[in-house]
Amino acid sequence: MDVESAVALMKRSEVFGGFDHGVLRRLAELAEQVQFAAGGTVFTKGEHAEPFFYMIVSGSVDILLSTGERVTTQGSGDIIGEIGPVSRSKVRMRTVVAAEPTGLLRWDLGAIEQQSEDLYGAVLGALKNLAWSRANPLIRKLAGEPR
């Protein structure tokens, strides 16, 4: 995926949609493209969360419970792996498996931080917001509160 295609995909994302073109371009240049065959494990619940998070470029992934039951499927433009690197525990919360051949952009938060503290702060804030929005319904459900 070329830089401008990555920028276009990121602009449609709930995480990066509000970032300006120059910032998105810098992020696209820092991304590594990775591929997974159908059934390939992106990461496993309980493993140490390297400082990586991902955006799905093509294909889709299944988010699994430890029982192997599928919670949801995510596809092009979705961000995955945001909770582990921003949490205190630095542990992956779910297993993620490619549902079909899948292309991802992978970012290393450490490399982003080395590039620019401002860029790092913006990305970290966006990832924390996404992590909270995904965790909040579960927290409310566990607490017995209405959504």
Side-chain angles (χ1 to χ4, degrees), residues 68-85:
E69 180 184 348
R70 182 171 45 88
V71 175
T72 190
T73 299
Q74 293 188 304
S76 181
D78 287 332
I79 299 289
I80 59 171
E82 77 287 348
I83 295 175

Side-chain angles (χ1 to χ4, degrees), residues 6 14 19-20 26 42-43 45 51 66-67 70 72 74 76-77 80 85 90 92 98 106 110 118-119 126 131 143-144:
E14 68 179 289
F19 289 27
D20 72 38
R26 286 171 56 199
V42 179
F43 47 84
K45 179 181 177 171
S66 43
T67 61
R70 182 171 45 88
T72 190
Q74 293 188 304
S76 181
I80 59 171
K90 304 290 188 235
R92 295 291 180 191
R106 178 173 67 188
D118 289 340
L119 180 59

